[in-house]
Amino acid sequence: MTTSNIPVITSDGSATLYNPTSGEHYHSTFGAIQESRHIFIEAGLSLFLKQSHISLFEVGFGTGLNALLSMKLGEEQGVNIHYTAVELYPIFPEESQQLNYPSLLEMDASLFLRMHESPQMQTSLTVHFYLEKIHEPFQELLFEPELFDVVYFDAFSPESQPEMWTEEGFEKLYQAIKPGGVLVTYSCKGLVKRALKSAGFRIEKLPGPPGKREFLRAWKDQL
């Protein structure tokens, strides 16, 4: 999936990319920022803002929109966020320059561009936001137990990347999430629900953003 992506403006005015290899857009064409904010920020990260430090993991860094929105919220709330993301097929730096998220969110564009300078990095982008990008297959990653408060699961669809949406992968994430933590994903497919349940999660279906009826939030309940 390293072919050039095609920029597309979505219905809320924010850009996304179309990936010719997968035949999919990185975000909803009904609104990229709208979708990411609704699913990942409001249903995931926002639940943990009472903490002074949040540990977050993203499967599928993609355009970096979820990271940018998370950074924005962390800065506004004065919460420290350690953001770890895995992405085997990073977008090209020149493609990130075609994405209008910083201007729409009134953020420093240089911070967003720095996110895409290298496929693998560990750096403090702001006082409150530390980014760690991993350029390896998700299936090969090993995690310490009970490491993350929140997981954003934002790979391409199960039809496009079935190897990403397995019970084994979700079991690995279940072990890596702290008790009381959550995983949020845009997919509400039956196979995804079954895999999450088999891995130990308690799942709930939530109303989706415009253009999507519902999405999933999965909890690792306190014992």
Side-chain angles (χ1 to χ4, degrees):
M1 295 187 187
T2 55
T3 56
S4 295
N5 296 298
I6 301 167
V8 176
I9 298 298
T10 68
S11 296
D12 68 356
S14 59
T16 188
L17 297 172
Y18 174 76
N19 182 271
T21 304
S22 67
E24 297 183 1
H25 295 85
Y26 279 79
H27 308 285
S28 169
T29 56
F30 287 89
I33 287 178
Q34 185 173 246
E35 177 196 40
S36 290
R37 183 175 276 146
H38 183 102
I39 294 174
F40 299 103
I41 305 303
E42 294 176 0
L45 179 60
S46 294
L47 304 179
F48 298 88
L49 292 178
K50 291 183 179 179
Q51 299 178 186
S52 60
H53 180 276
I54 299 171
S55 182
L56 195 155
F57 182 70
E58 180 175 34
V59 179
F61 186 76
T63 67
L65 175 55
N66 293 336
L68 192 67
L69 286 169
S70 300
M71 177 197 291
K72 179 178 175 64
L73 186 60
E75 292 296 309
E76 291 171 349
Q77 300 293 322
V79 175
N80 296 322
I81 297 175
H82 188 124
Y83 198 106
T84 306
V86 61
E87 178 59 74
L88 188 59
Y89 305 104
I91 69 171
F92 298 118
E94 56 268 28
E95 291 174 333
S96 68
Q97 297 173 16
Q98 302 178 67
L99 300 171
N100 60 358
Y101 309 140
S103 62
L104 293 176
L105 297 171
E106 299 181 339
M107 298 182 68
D108 184 350
S110 67
L111 293 176
F112 180 64
L113 296 178
R114 281 180 62 196
M115 291 181 177
H116 296 282
E117 285 179 349
S118 173
Q120 188 140 330
M121 64 171 65
Q122 296 186 39
T123 184
S124 293
L125 288 175
T126 71
V127 172
H128 295 293
F129 192 86
Y130 185 89
L131 176 63
E132 180 178 355
K133 282 174 62 181
I134 303 171
H135 187 218
E136 297 177 22
F138 166 65
Q139 295 84 355
E140 296 179 9
L141 296 185
L142 298 175
F143 301 108
E144 296 178 16
E146 300 183 3
L147 183 60
F148 304 115
D149 298 292
V150 190
V151 169
Y152 298 163
F153 202 93
D154 201 17
F156 282 125
S157 74
E159 292 82 9
S160 177
Q161 290 187 308
E163 71 279 6
M164 300 294 291
W165 302 81
T166 65
E167 182 180 333
E168 292 76 18
F170 287 130
E171 285 177 348
K172 179 161 59 174
L173 291 173
Y174 183 85
Q175 297 301 322
I177 293 175
K178 299 175 185 177
V182 300
L183 177 152
V184 282
T185 184
Y186 66 88
S187 181
C188 211
K189 297 276 186 183
L191 66 90
V192 177
K193 290 186 283 187
R194 290 190 292 272
L196 285 166
K197 285 182 179 178
S198 296
F201 288 100
R202 173 175 59 86
I203 65 171
E204 59 178 329
K205 293 186 289 187
L206 299 173
K212 186 166 188 60
R213 189 162 64 91
E214 53 194 13
F215 68 99
L216 290 178
R217 179 164 62 195
W219 293 86
K220 180 175 180 177
D221 287 327
Q222 300 272 6
L223 298 179

